[in-house]
Every structure is written in C-alpha cells, then in structure tokens.
Amino acid sequence: MITIGQLARYVGVSIKTIRVYHDKGLLPEPDRDASGYRRYGANDAIDLIKIRTLAEAGVPLARIRDLRSATDEEFQQALREIDNELTDRIRGLQATQGRLRELAAGQLAPLPTEVGAHLVKLARWRFTPRWVELQRDLWILVCATYPDRAVTLFHDQAETPANPALRQLFLDYDHAHDLDPDDPRIDDLARRISEATRERYGPDEPPELDAASEIPALIQGTVNASSLAWQRLDMLIRAQLNT
C-alpha cells in the first residue's frame, strides 16, 4: 500500500488532481490506515492511469466516469462523439485564430476578398483615401447585416467604377466633398448622375437590400453627414429621379 503522494509520483499527476478525481467520483476513495491517511493499492494505480489517459486524450471529466463502465461498443461510440466534438472545437479555434491574425494585420472587420480587391482598385483609380475608407466602412455594415444580399448588391455597385464614364461621375462625386453646397457644379453633377442612373436601369429599380430595411437610409445618412455638398447632391439626385 502506498500514500497519495507516492501514487501521484508514480502515475505522473498531482496530488490535487487525485483529490479532484475523488471529488468527482472518478476514482473511488481508498481505505485509510489507523492514522486516517489514504492508502492505495495496485488497482487504484491502474484506475488512475486509465483516467489520466482518457483525460490527456481530451475526454471531458464528466464523460470519463460513464466510459469507465461502458461496454466496448458504447466506449467506441463515445470516443467517436468526443472526436467529432473536438474537431468542431478545433475548427472554431482556427477561425478565432484567423480573426486574431486579421486584427493583427489591422483588419478590424474583415471583408470578402472581392470587396477588398475592389477597394484597392478605387485607390488605383484616384479616389481619395477618404472615399475608400468610407466605402470600406459601408460595406462592412452591409456585409454584416445582409450577408446574403450583400454579394448581389456589391456586384451591381462594383460595375459602376469599372465603366470609365460612370467612374468619372463618382470621382466627381468624391471630389465634390469640399465644394460649397450652392456651387453650380453640384447641380450639374446631380443631373449627370440622374441621367446615368436612368440610362442604366431604365424603368426598373436599382438592386436594394430589402424594401423594409433602414440600412440604406442609415448608409446615405452617414455619407451626407460628412459633407454638406454631398447632402445637397443626394437631395437633388433623389428629386430628379422621382420626377
């Protein structure tokens, strides 16, 4: 018979771990000697080794007690279930790791690859950093709130700057940011954008997220709030498209 300290050393666990196994009913309490100390035998050591092996394999302590009394078939099935659970946890951890790496790279809210590539093109096409950053933030909002519709809407919107004539319109929109709201160039730009929109879509409505969604208004409100010129430009475009 050996003491709890000797058992811990032989099996390679801590005394505290053995006590936890006792508390959870995994390892039966042994008989005590005349002085009240626990005394362990070979069977206790074997049981502890089995428990340690299962625990090191990732089996939750709550499952170990049931596995100890399971049939071989039940044991194998339980191990398969635990393996599947571990696989799911690993995938979750890998996803978390990926997000941490994106955060380390300065991507607070990662966007789909094609949206990121589009933002790079905007910079190459001489859109201002202010415009690119605004587009990034707005696509973060759209992708987070409407992940299914966002792809369709993005493809429609991405076609605009890909067309040189339409691109120039939005470059003018971008650079109108600092104009005086009463500058006549605002009126001319609103007219040109309205005409281009009618030509592109005809009598049809442009793609939208959801007729009942407040997100488009929230997005346009964010754009308008950054510039009085943009605010007036939006008002003129809406008025002309509704006539």
CSV table of all heavy atoms in Angstrom, one decimal, residues 21 48-61 63-65 67-68 75 79 82:
chain,number,residue,atom,x,y,z
A,21,TYR,N,-10.3,14.0,-8.7
A,21,TYR,CA,-10.9,12.7,-9.3
A,21,TYR,C,-11.7,12.0,-8.2
A,21,TYR,O,-12.8,11.5,-8.5
A,21,TYR,CB,-9.8,11.8,-9.7
A,21,TYR,CG,-9.1,12.2,-11.0
A,21,TYR,CD1,-7.9,11.6,-11.4
A,21,TYR,CD2,-9.6,13.3,-11.8
A,21,TYR,CE1,-7.2,12.1,-12.5
A,21,TYR,CE2,-8.9,13.7,-12.9
A,21,TYR,CZ,-7.7,13.1,-13.3
A,21,TYR,OH,-7.1,13.5,-14.4
A,48,LEU,N,-6.2,5.0,-11.9
A,48,LEU,CA,-5.8,6.3,-12.1
A,48,LEU,C,-5.1,6.5,-13.5
A,48,LEU,O,-5.2,7.5,-14.1
A,48,LEU,CB,-4.8,6.7,-11.0
A,48,LEU,CG,-4.3,8.2,-11.0
A,48,LEU,CD1,-5.4,9.2,-11.0
A,48,LEU,CD2,-3.4,8.4,-9.8
A,49,ILE,N,-4.3,5.5,-13.8
A,49,ILE,CA,-3.6,5.6,-15.2
A,49,ILE,C,-4.6,5.6,-16.3
A,49,ILE,O,-4.5,6.4,-17.2
A,49,ILE,CB,-2.7,4.4,-15.3
A,49,ILE,CG1,-1.5,4.5,-14.4
A,49,ILE,CG2,-2.2,4.3,-16.8
A,49,ILE,CD1,-0.6,3.3,-14.3
A,50,LYS,N,-5.7,4.9,-16.2
A,50,LYS,CA,-6.8,4.9,-17.2
A,50,LYS,C,-7.5,6.2,-17.3
A,50,LYS,O,-7.7,6.8,-18.3
A,50,LYS,CB,-7.8,3.8,-16.9
A,50,LYS,CG,-7.3,2.4,-17.1
A,50,LYS,CD,-8.3,1.3,-16.7
A,50,LYS,CE,-7.8,-0.1,-17.0
A,50,LYS,NZ,-8.8,-1.1,-16.6
A,51,ILE,N,-7.7,6.8,-16.1
A,51,ILE,CA,-8.4,8.1,-16.0
A,51,ILE,C,-7.5,9.1,-16.6
A,51,ILE,O,-7.9,10.0,-17.4
A,51,ILE,CB,-8.7,8.5,-14.6
A,51,ILE,CG1,-9.8,7.5,-14.0
A,51,ILE,CG2,-9.2,9.9,-14.5
A,51,ILE,CD1,-10.0,7.6,-12.5
A,52,ARG,N,-6.2,9.1,-16.2
A,52,ARG,CA,-5.2,10.1,-16.8
A,52,ARG,C,-5.1,10.0,-18.3
A,52,ARG,O,-5.1,11.0,-19.0
A,52,ARG,CB,-3.9,9.9,-16.1
A,52,ARG,CG,-2.8,10.9,-16.5
A,52,ARG,CD,-1.4,10.4,-16.4
A,52,ARG,NE,-1.2,9.2,-17.3
A,52,ARG,CZ,-0.1,8.5,-17.3
A,52,ARG,NH1,0.8,8.7,-16.4
A,52,ARG,NH2,0.1,7.5,-18.1
A,53,THR,N,-5.1,8.7,-18.8
A,53,THR,CA,-5.0,8.5,-20.2
A,53,THR,C,-6.2,9.1,-21.0
A,53,THR,O,-6.0,9.8,-22.0
A,53,THR,CB,-4.9,7.0,-20.6
A,53,THR,OG1,-3.8,6.5,-19.9
A,53,THR,CG2,-4.8,6.8,-22.1
A,54,LEU,N,-7.4,8.9,-20.5
A,54,LEU,CA,-8.6,9.5,-21.1
A,54,LEU,C,-8.6,11.0,-21.0
A,54,LEU,O,-8.9,11.7,-22.0
A,54,LEU,CB,-9.9,8.9,-20.4
A,54,LEU,CG,-10.2,7.4,-20.7
A,54,LEU,CD1,-11.3,7.0,-19.8
A,54,LEU,CD2,-10.6,7.2,-22.1
A,55,ALA,N,-8.2,11.5,-19.9
A,55,ALA,CA,-8.2,13.0,-19.7
A,55,ALA,C,-7.2,13.6,-20.6
A,55,ALA,O,-7.4,14.7,-21.2
A,55,ALA,CB,-7.9,13.3,-18.2
A,56,GLU,N,-6.0,13.0,-20.8
A,56,GLU,CA,-5.0,13.6,-21.7
A,56,GLU,C,-5.4,13.5,-23.1
A,56,GLU,O,-4.9,14.2,-24.0
A,56,GLU,CB,-3.7,12.8,-21.5
A,56,GLU,CG,-3.0,13.1,-20.1
A,56,GLU,CD,-1.7,12.4,-19.9
A,56,GLU,OE1,-1.5,11.4,-20.7
A,56,GLU,OE2,-0.9,12.7,-19.0
A,57,ALA,N,-6.3,12.5,-23.4
A,57,ALA,CA,-6.8,12.4,-24.8
A,57,ALA,C,-7.9,13.4,-25.1
A,57,ALA,O,-8.4,13.5,-26.2
A,57,ALA,CB,-7.4,11.0,-25.0
A,58,GLY,N,-8.2,14.2,-24.1
A,58,GLY,CA,-9.2,15.3,-24.4
A,58,GLY,C,-10.6,14.9,-23.9
A,58,GLY,O,-11.6,15.6,-24.2
A,59,VAL,N,-10.8,13.8,-23.3
A,59,VAL,CA,-12.1,13.3,-22.9
A,59,VAL,C,-12.5,14.2,-21.6
A,59,VAL,O,-11.8,14.2,-20.7
A,59,VAL,CB,-12.2,11.8,-22.5
A,59,VAL,CG1,-13.6,11.4,-22.0
A,59,VAL,CG2,-11.8,11.0,-23.7
A,60,PRO,N,-13.7,14.9,-21.7
A,60,PRO,CA,-14.1,15.7,-20.5
A,60,PRO,C,-14.3,14.8,-19.3
A,60,PRO,O,-14.7,13.6,-19.4
A,60,PRO,CB,-15.4,16.3,-21.0
A,60,PRO,CG,-15.4,16.2,-22.5
A,60,PRO,CD,-14.6,15.0,-22.8
A,61,LEU,N,-13.9,15.3,-18.1
A,61,LEU,CA,-14.0,14.6,-16.9
A,61,LEU,C,-15.5,14.1,-16.7
A,61,LEU,O,-15.7,13.0,-16.1
A,61,LEU,CB,-13.6,15.4,-15.7
A,61,LEU,CG,-12.1,15.8,-15.7
A,61,LEU,CD1,-11.8,16.6,-14.4
A,61,LEU,CD2,-11.2,14.6,-15.8
A,63,ARG,N,-17.4,12.9,-18.7
A,63,ARG,CA,-17.7,11.7,-19.6
A,63,ARG,C,-16.9,10.5,-19.1
A,63,ARG,O,-17.3,9.4,-19.5
A,63,ARG,CB,-17.4,12.0,-21.0
A,63,ARG,CG,-18.1,13.2,-21.6
A,63,ARG,CD,-19.5,12.9,-22.0
A,63,ARG,NE,-19.6,11.9,-23.1
A,63,ARG,CZ,-19.6,12.2,-24.4
A,63,ARG,NH1,-19.4,13.5,-24.8
A,63,ARG,NH2,-19.7,11.3,-25.3
A,64,ILE,N,-15.8,10.7,-18.4
A,64,ILE,CA,-14.9,9.6,-18.1
A,64,ILE,C,-15.6,8.6,-17.2
A,64,ILE,O,-15.4,7.4,-17.4
A,64,ILE,CB,-13.6,10.2,-17.4
A,64,ILE,CG1,-12.8,10.9,-18.5
A,64,ILE,CG2,-12.8,9.0,-16.8
A,64,ILE,CD1,-11.5,11.5,-17.9
A,65,ARG,N,-16.4,9.0,-16.2
A,65,ARG,CA,-17.0,8.1,-15.3
A,65,ARG,C,-17.9,7.1,-16.0
A,65,ARG,O,-17.9,5.9,-15.8
A,65,ARG,CB,-17.8,8.8,-14.2
A,65,ARG,CG,-18.4,7.9,-13.2
A,65,ARG,CD,-19.0,8.7,-12.0
A,65,ARG,NE,-19.9,9.7,-12.4
A,65,ARG,CZ,-20.4,10.6,-11.6
A,65,ARG,NH1,-20.1,10.6,-10.3
A,65,ARG,NH2,-21.2,11.5,-12.1
A,67,LEU,N,-17.6,6.3,-19.2
A,67,LEU,CA,-16.8,5.5,-20.1
A,67,LEU,C,-16.2,4.3,-19.3
A,67,LEU,O,-16.0,3.3,-19.9
A,67,LEU,CB,-15.7,6.3,-20.8
A,67,LEU,CG,-16.2,7.3,-21.9
A,67,LEU,CD1,-15.0,8.1,-22.4
A,67,LEU,CD2,-16.9,6.5,-23.0
A,68,ARG,N,-15.9,4.6,-18.1
A,68,ARG,CA,-15.2,3.5,-17.3
A,68,ARG,C,-16.1,2.3,-17.2
A,68,ARG,O,-15.6,1.2,-17.0
A,68,ARG,CB,-14.9,4.0,-15.9
A,68,ARG,CG,-13.9,5.2,-15.8
A,68,ARG,CD,-12.5,4.7,-16.2
A,68,ARG,NE,-12.1,3.5,-15.6
A,68,ARG,CZ,-11.8,3.4,-14.3
A,68,ARG,NH1,-11.8,4.5,-13.5
A,68,ARG,NH2,-11.5,2.3,-13.7
A,75,PHE,N,-18.2,2.4,-25.6
A,75,PHE,CA,-16.9,3.1,-25.5
A,75,PHE,C,-16.5,3.6,-26.8
A,75,PHE,O,-16.1,4.8,-26.9
A,75,PHE,CB,-15.8,2.1,-24.9
A,75,PHE,CG,-14.5,2.8,-24.6
A,75,PHE,CD1,-14.3,3.5,-23.4
A,75,PHE,CD2,-13.5,2.7,-25.5
A,75,PHE,CE1,-13.1,4.1,-23.1
A,75,PHE,CE2,-12.2,3.3,-25.2
A,75,PHE,CZ,-12.1,4.0,-24.0
A,79,LEU,N,-16.2,7.6,-27.9
A,79,LEU,CA,-15.0,8.2,-28.4
A,79,LEU,C,-15.2,8.9,-29.8
A,79,LEU,O,-14.6,9.9,-30.0
A,79,LEU,CB,-13.9,7.1,-28.5
A,79,LEU,CG,-13.3,6.6,-27.2
A,79,LEU,CD1,-12.2,5.6,-27.5
A,79,LEU,CD2,-12.8,7.7,-26.3
A,82,ILE,N,-16.8,12.2,-29.1
A,82,ILE,CA,-15.9,13.1,-28.5
A,82,ILE,C,-14.9,13.6,-29.6
A,82,ILE,O,-14.6,14.8,-29.6
A,82,ILE,CB,-15.1,12.5,-27.3
A,82,ILE,CG1,-16.0,12.2,-26.2
A,82,ILE,CG2,-13.9,13.3,-26.9
A,82,ILE,CD1,-15.4,11.3,-25.1
